[in-house]
């Protein structure tokens, strides 16, 4: 990788083959997924190749950036570019979740009440599913041959409350780790970073346990109507983001153990910390709107 | 002063040659060229589909294609034109011009810039390959309404994933523009000194970041509804097909402004240049752009007035929609006031900009008509709607891209284009685009529905006129390609300033500019 420093010290890289590797990876992965969804056996193989390419790209691209950062090629202005990039990336993620929260809101305040015979849209109720009732959590769907019934939903004060405590404390531990980095107390940094990852992993285990419980005992599945749909899509995408966050934190931990980052120059750490807080806040939204209300 | 530094740096910063230059480039000008070339290619791919549509509609009855394929044509024509031609066109202009306008060496995140572009061809391979699949290409309309879109054959997941990749590309492009403008401005280039093209692009970038993820969410729900048993858009499970429309148009309306705000920026650059007067009401232009962007998030349901919303919803969305006329009117009047008593000349970019102002306003007025709920009950899903959005998108967005290409081509290539041919291109386009789209107002008001391959004989005459306009408009664009290619290959040398009335940092660089724009930031007073 070559590049040039402008007179103001801004590093402009010259030429990179990682983006095209990334494009081929996404193409192979998603094209393969589409084939697999259509029932073509070749799709799965294509997905595996896509994932391998994606991993190569991620290792290569981030590796290059880390190397450049550690050799001091990035000045303060480059750092600010990364910050803007991360902030608006996180905002785009917020909007992605907003679509699913919006779907939950619409189901609860419009579609389910209308199907239950309320308001101006009661005709469907009257002519199609007159025995359907508007209750939330929605355990029995209008058409129970297409979408199954739920025996029980997951209440907020068991595992979900524990999960809330886990994620909130992981927000505290990562802040303590950050203080350690700023004061150059590397032991504190490494220990609390490790604790953060551990809390995240425990969260994921709890979530996995809850999913198994929901599928096997509660009859709460993706197929169980709009409650199951919003429940699993919201918590599922959140869980995916926790997984991604935990992987990112692990990379940061390895970098810390190798002695990367300085008290005043550690955007890699901060960017991941922001992401972790974002995942935390989304969970609070989930806990309130999916579990409690 | 600034170019002497840039020239000094050039000897060790030469562009590498060959195909790999274009695949691996991180240079904003190379990437801008890639975007613009891709946009032009897609303009003809989508245009070819439009020709198929107009050929089928030339006469009543079924002549050339079967109805399913016709529906694929309208669906893919829209997706290709929106995501392949107009959006990449504007991103290409931004890539070329924004760093030069704000005095930056390059975009803030050059590698990501490359990825934003190189995702596009792959997304379109996924999308266009569906023509060869069992069940054919998607035919449920570009809006992908559930439950109709669920009947798509094998193409369905390919459509969804193509949209996902296009979304990723747009979001990365938008993030890059925000980081560049916020962080890379030359000393003294304060926000209220930014050229309006830069302003409109920052606001567009915010719209992209806020709306594209919502589209990703909507199509993800379609995917899980079809393959994983969810019931977001199925009333049988407690969902609602109309919910899809709400989520889609929450993306869709900001998307409309994503395609027009940069056009406002282009026109705001061209009109003052050829009127030889500074832009009238600069700060009101900035605030009007921001107001339009804000309003775009609270008007979405005007696309679905006839779907059966509660009355309060119909009223709310009607009032907010009509409110948009205020900031848009501010812009139109500012452009007119800029020209007032200016010493105007009418080179090709100016002609296209003037064409934009007049014809975009026609599209704006038909938009107002559609925004009035009771009137929309009559116009909904007719050719009137088709006429409306083609006036704002073809004579609006596409005209502004062409104006921008003529305006900046001498800067990019160092050669002047052929002014005579440019003017000929403008007049041919303008005559035939009106022959093409104006009769569609009449057809719509008379009740001809959109997205159908056949129609009642009472609509025959105006359809034939419209089709003739369409073929001639399509042919006229070949002239555009010829003019651009000839200009790239040679021609009269362009000066640094190119146009007598041009002002701004980009015109202080030589034409063509050095490979790296401002290696030493210029100081703006």
């Amino acid at each position: 990788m070559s590049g040039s420093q402008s007179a103001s010290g801004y590093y402009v890289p010259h030429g990179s083959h990682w983006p095209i590797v990334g494009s081929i990876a996404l193409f192979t992965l998603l094209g393969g997924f589409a084939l697999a969804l259509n029932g073509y056996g070749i799709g799965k193989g294509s997905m595996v190749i896509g994932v391998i390419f994606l991993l190569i790209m991620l290792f290569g691209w981030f590796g290059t950036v880390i190397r450049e950062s550690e050799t001091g090629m990035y000045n303060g202005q480059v750092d600010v570019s990364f910050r803007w990039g991360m902030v608006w990336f996180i905002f785009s993620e917020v909007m992605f979740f907003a679509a699913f929260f919006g779907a939950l809101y619409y189901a609860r305040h419009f579609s389910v009440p209308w199907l239950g015979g309320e308001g101006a849209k009661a005709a469907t109720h009257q002519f199609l599913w007159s025995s359907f009732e508007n209750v939330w959590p929605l355990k029995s769907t209008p058409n129970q041959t297409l979408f199954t019934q739920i025996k029980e939903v997951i209440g907020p004060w068991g595992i979900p409350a524990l999960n809330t405590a886990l994620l909130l404390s992981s927000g505290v531990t990562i802040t303590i780790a950050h203080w350690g980095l700023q004061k150059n107390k590397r032991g504190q940094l490494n220990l609390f970073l490790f604790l953060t990852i551990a809390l995240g992993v425990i969260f994921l285990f709890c979530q996995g346990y809850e999913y198994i419980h929901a599928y096997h005992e509660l009859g709460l599945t993706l197929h169980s109507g709009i409650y199951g749909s919003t429940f699993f899509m919201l918590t599922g995408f959140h869980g995916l983001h926790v997984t991604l966050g935990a992987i990112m934190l692990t990379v940061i931990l390895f970098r810390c153990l190798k002695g990367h980052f300085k008290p005043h120059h550690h955007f890699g750490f901060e960017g991941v910390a922001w992401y972790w807080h974002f995942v935390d806040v989304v969970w609070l939204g989930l806990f309130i709107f999916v579990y409690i209300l | 002063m600034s170019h002497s530094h840039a020239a000094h740096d050039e000897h060790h910063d030469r562009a590498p040659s060959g195909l790999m230059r274009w695949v691996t480039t991180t240079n904003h000008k190379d990437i801008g060229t890639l975007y613009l070339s891709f946009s032009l290619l897609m303009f003809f791919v989508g245009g070819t589909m439009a020709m198929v549509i107009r050929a089928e509609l030339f006469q009543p009855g079924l002549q050339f294609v079967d109805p399913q394929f016709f529906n694929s044509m309208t669906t893919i024509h829209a997706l290709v034109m929106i995501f392949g031609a107009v959006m990449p066109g504007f991103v290409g202009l931004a890539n070329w011009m924004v760093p030069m306008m704000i005095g930056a060496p390059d975009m803030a995140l050059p590698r990501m810039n490359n990825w934003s572009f190189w995702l596009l061809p792959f997304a379109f391979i996924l999308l266009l390959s569906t023509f060869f699949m069992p069940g054919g290409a998607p035919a449920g309309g570009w809006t992908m309404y559930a439950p109709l879109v669920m009947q798509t054959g094998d193409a369905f997941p390919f459509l969804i994933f193509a949209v996902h990749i296009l979304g990723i590309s747009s979001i990365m492009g938008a993030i890059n523009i925000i980081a560049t403008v916020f962080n890379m401005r030359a000393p003294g280039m304060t926000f209220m000194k930014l050229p309006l093209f830069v302003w409109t692009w920052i606001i567009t970038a915010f719209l992209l970041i806020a709306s594209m993820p919502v589209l990703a969410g909507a199509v993800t729900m379609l995917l899980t509804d079809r393959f994983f048993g969810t019931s977001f858009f199925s009333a049988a499970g407690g969902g609602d097909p109309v919910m899809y429309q709400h989520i889609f148009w929450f993306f869709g309306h900001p998307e409309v402004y994503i395609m027009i705000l940069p056009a406002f920026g282009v026109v705001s650059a061209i009109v003052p240049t050829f009127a030889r007067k500074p832009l009238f009401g600069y700060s009101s232009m900035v605030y009007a752009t921001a107001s339009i962007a804000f309003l775009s998030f609270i008007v979405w349901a005007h696309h679905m007035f006839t779907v059966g919303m509660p009355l309060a919803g119909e009223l709310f969305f009607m009032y907010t929609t009509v409110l948009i006329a205020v900031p848009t009117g501010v812009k139109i009047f500012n452009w007119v006031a800029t020209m007032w008593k200016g010493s105007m000349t009418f080179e090709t970019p100016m002609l296209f900009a003037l064409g934009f102002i007049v014809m975009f306003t026609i599209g704006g007025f038909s938009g107002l008509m559609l925004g009035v709920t009771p009137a929309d009950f009559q116009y909904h899903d007719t050719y009137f709607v088709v006429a409306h959005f083609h006036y704002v998108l073809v004579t609006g967005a596409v005209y502004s891209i062409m104006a921008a290409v003529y305006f900046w081509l001498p800067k990019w290539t160092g050669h002047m284009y052929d002014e005579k041919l440019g003017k000929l291109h403008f007049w041919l386009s303008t005559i035939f685009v009106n022959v093409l789209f104006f009769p569609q107002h009449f057809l719509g008001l008379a009740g001809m529905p959109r997205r159908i391959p056949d129609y009642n004989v009472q609509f025959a005459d105006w359809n034939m006129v419209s089709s003739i306009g369409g073929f001639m408009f399509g042919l006229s664009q070949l002239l555009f390609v010829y003019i651009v290619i000839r200009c790239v290959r040679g021609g009269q040398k362009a000066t640094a300033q190119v146009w007598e009335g041009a002002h701004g940092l980009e015109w202080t660089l030589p034409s063509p500019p050095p490979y790296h724009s401002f290696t030493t930031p210029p100081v703006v007073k």
Side-chain angles (χ1 to χ4, degrees), chain B residues 279-445:
Chain B
L279 184 69
F280 183 89
Y282 170 89
S283 51
S284 69
M285 285 297 227
V286 173
Y287 299 134
T289 311
S291 312
I292 293 173
F294 168 73
L295 287 171
S296 77
F297 285 104
I298 53 168
V299 299
W300 75 85
H302 68 213
H303 295 269
M304 36 193 292
F305 277 145
T306 60
V307 88
M309 273 184 298
L311 182 67
E314 308 265 38
L315 286 175
F316 173 80
F317 287 108
M318 175 172 77
Y319 291 139
T320 50
T321 301
V322 175
L323 203 56
I324 295 179
V326 177
T328 314
V330 167
K331 288 180 164 292
I332 305 280
F333 283 114
N334 277 346
W335 290 323
V336 173
T338 306
M339 290 184 276
W340 178 253
K341 292 188 173 172
S343 38
M344 303 230 285
T345 51
F346 299 92
E347 286 87 347
T348 312
M350 184 61 163
L351 288 176
F352 273 97
L354 291 174
F356 172 96
I357 295 173
V358 173
M359 291 184 282
F360 175 77
T361 305
I362 294 176
F365 283 145
S366 59
L368 273 174
M369 293 168 70
L370 289 162
V372 177
T373 311
D376 180 77
F377 272 60
Q378 176 67 20
Y379 309 143
H380 188 87
D381 257 349
T382 68
Y383 253 83
F384 190 80
V385 179
V386 178
H388 157 69
F389 67 71
H390 281 97
Y391 264 91
V392 289
L393 285 176
V394 179
T395 57
V398 173
Y399 259 50
S400 81
I401 294 174
M402 283 173 175
V405 169
Y406 283 114
F407 187 50
W408 286 317
L409 203 54
K411 171 58 61 189
W412 300 336
T413 62
H415 309 297
M416 297 306 288
Y417 60 89
D418 188 323
E419 189 62 53
K420 262 195 197 130
L421 287 180
K423 285 194 169 117
L424 180 67
H425 172 228
F426 169 77
W427 285 111
L428 286 175
S429 298
T430 303
I431 290 166
F432 290 116
V433 86
N434 284 291
V435 175
L436 164 59
F437 292 122
F438 211 82
Q440 296 183 359
H441 291 114
F442 313 146
L443 288 167
L445 292 176

Side-chain angles (χ1 to χ4, degrees), chain A residues 49-65:
Chain A
I49 296 169
V51 169
I52 292 170
F53 269 94
L54 198 62
L55 289 176
I56 293 173
M57 182 277 269
L58 289 170
F59 271 92
W61 194 332
F62 281 109
T64 308
V65 173

Side-chain angles (χ1 to χ4, degrees), chain A residues 24-51 222 233 237 240, chain B residues 126 133 154-162 164-165 219-220 222-224 226-228:
Chain A
I24 293 168
L26 274 186
F27 177 76
T28 323
L29 173 60
L30 292 179
F33 192 20
L35 284 172
L37 287 172
N38 286 332
Y40 296 100
I42 191 175
K44 286 191 180 126
S46 176
M47 284 173 78
V48 172
I49 296 169
V51 169
L222 276 174
M233 293 299 276
F237 270 117
L240 211 62
Chain B
L126 283 180
M133 287 174 193
D154 278 6
F156 183 77
F158 289 90
L159 169 69
I160 304 294
F161 293 140
H164 276 141
I165 298 180
V219 298
T220 304
L222 287 178
L223 187 82
T224 57
R226 163 101 172 233
F227 291 109
F228 301 101

Side-chain angles (χ1 to χ4, degrees), chain A residues 203-217:
Chain A
F203 170 90
L204 286 172
F205 268 107
C206 291
Q207 204 62 343
Y209 172 80
E210 199 186 60
Y211 275 16
I212 294 168
H213 181 58
Y215 258 80
H216 290 283
E217 282 137 55

